[in-house]
Amino acid sequence: MPHTPTYADPIWNAAARLHGGSPSGTTEIATANHCLQHHGFRYDLGLRLIHRPIAADARERGTLLHIAWAHRYAARIPNFSRFVTKDPYDAMREAAQQLQLGYLLDRSFSAYKVYNDFHGDNDPFDPVDVETPCEMSVIDSDGTTHRVTTLIDLQAVHKPTGLLLDINHKARGRVQKLSQTASTDPQFLLELALARTRWPATAALAVNPFQLPASGPPKAFPPEMVPLSPHAYARIASDVAEVKRRINATRRSHPNPLDRPRSWACNHFGTCEYHAICSRGYESLVDYTSTKFDMPSIVEAGKSLS
């Protein structure tokens, strides 16, 4: 029977994550705030490198792990019915086939076993819901209303404290302790605000970190509460509305997604997957594919700008 994706389906959600997250989601807003050109490449054109560096495998393996985690915790929720729960390994196997990630399956299986062994019967989370769509409306300085959405990885009661938490699974190539700037991270602030539209009693956001190095064994860590700034939290709706206003204004002033204002933030925060285009020019487009358009037409558009 063919797979019919729905918004509540972890595999559909995983596919969306691979391509930058849901439209109007927290990741899209963070990307636009970081660099409007990056936003154009990723969200308007759907560009992705054909040959991704080995280190980038953490993103794809993390995608499979998100699916495993969704099924792990959904199976523990009484009368859960939003999707059919499966053994996490079977869920990853099905997802790897549909998302063409079979080459990462063995390593993803090993990673999930590390997570399972680390938490075992002492898992700190008593799940309430998984992969939950949340949304809110924000109004910008022009009076325009914008819809903002996210998917909450896991909403759960933290057994050691009894607190209801928004749990953000973070599978990365390298795990570092949360820095002081995490308190004003717009992605975390917005996610908590969105979680509270469904669960007003949500006490805090916590990161569930998992390390997926390019070489060497994966490693699980205890969850870490994010000490979000109350001052920054109080501003997040208005700040996000202004980012959405800038996205729309940029689309009007620079309708070609290949030619958007560049912040050159890579000089401070490291290179993104579009660095080749910005540093070497549009001829580098031949190294990319698109999830939205016919790639030859994008290459030709790039030539007209060169």
Side-chain angles (χ1 to χ4, degrees):
M1 183 176 178
H3 175 71
T4 304
T6 67
Y7 195 61
D9 188 317
I11 294 179
W12 190 98
N13 297 339
R17 282 192 182 95
L18 277 176
H19 302 307
S22 60
S24 299
T26 55
T27 304
E28 184 203 9
I29 290 163
T31 300
N33 202 36
H34 186 72
C35 179
L36 287 165
Q37 180 61 87
H38 186 141
H39 180 273
F41 288 152
R42 187 172 184 177
Y43 289 93
D44 291 347
L45 291 177
L47 293 183
R48 285 181 50 81
L49 273 169
I50 296 172
H51 301 293
R52 294 172 61 78
I54 292 175
D57 281 354
R59 180 176 169 185
E60 278 77 5
R61 283 188 287 157
T63 295
L64 294 178
L65 282 174
H66 269 81
I67 291 169
W69 287 324
H71 284 273
R72 172 191 178 90
Y73 291 109
R76 302 181 183 192
I77 301 172
N79 303 315
F80 184 85
S81 61
R82 192 140 34 81
F83 56 84
V84 177
T85 58
K86 303 172 184 175
D87 175 86
Y89 292 101
D90 290 340
M92 281 194 288
R93 186 178 292 108
E94 179 184 347
Q97 180 180 5
Q98 294 188 34
L99 300 175
Q100 299 181 332
L101 298 176
Y103 65 102
L104 294 174
L105 196 55
D106 288 344
R107 294 172 70 195
S108 300
F109 278 178
S110 299
Y112 181 71
K113 184 177 185 304
V114 168
Y115 183 87
N116 199 41
D117 291 346
F118 179 81
H119 289 294
D121 295 330
N122 298 313
D123 196 308
F125 305 127
D126 186 7
V128 173
D129 204 357
V130 300
E131 298 284 308
T132 313
C134 295
E135 66 177 78
M136 61 188 284
S137 295
V138 295
I139 303 174
D140 68 23
S141 56
D142 293 334
T144 303
T145 299
H146 304 274
R147 176 173 171 263
V148 185
T149 67
T150 197
L151 286 167
I152 303 298
D153 291 339
L154 172 65
Q155 190 76 8
V157 174
H158 186 233
K159 294 177 184 176
T161 62
L163 296 175
L164 179 63
L165 299 179
D166 165 12
I167 310 296
N168 187 310
H169 298 311
K170 285 291 184 189
R172 292 178 170 175
R174 184 183 178 190
V175 169
Q176 296 176 304
K177 191 167 181 63
L178 289 171
S179 67
Q180 186 176 358
T181 57
S183 66
T184 56
D185 185 307
Q187 212 166 343
F188 288 154
L189 292 164
L190 180 57
E191 182 179 325
L192 180 59
L194 283 157
R196 285 174 172 166
T197 63
R198 183 166 290 225
W199 300 284
T202 304
L205 181 145
V207 170
N208 184 26
F210 192 83
Q211 186 164 284
L212 291 168
S215 60
K219 186 177 181 180
F221 296 84
E224 187 174 0
M225 299 279 192
V226 181
L228 293 174
S229 159
H231 175 73
Y233 181 80
R235 290 183 52 93
I236 191 61
S238 59
D239 288 345
V240 165
E242 289 309 299
V243 176
K244 294 289 289 183
R245 185 186 63 79
R246 289 202 302 272
I247 291 172
N248 290 345
T250 300
R251 283 171 171 158
R252 291 192 297 269
S253 62
H254 296 73
N256 185 346
L258 290 171
D259 187 23
R260 297 270 167 85
R262 300 177 182 182
S263 67
W264 304 105
C266 50
N267 293 307
H268 298 283
F269 303 111
T271 58
C272 71
E273 64 180 308
Y274 308 113
H275 185 258
I277 304 172
C278 293
S279 61
R280 297 203 299 267
Y282 297 109
E283 60 269 21
S284 298
L285 285 168
V286 296
D287 296 327
Y288 292 79
T289 186
S290 172
T291 61
K292 295 188 175 184
F293 299 100
D294 178 56
M295 200 59 207
S297 64
I298 296 177
V299 171
E300 285 302 311
K303 289 179 180 178
S304 69
L305 294 170
S306 299

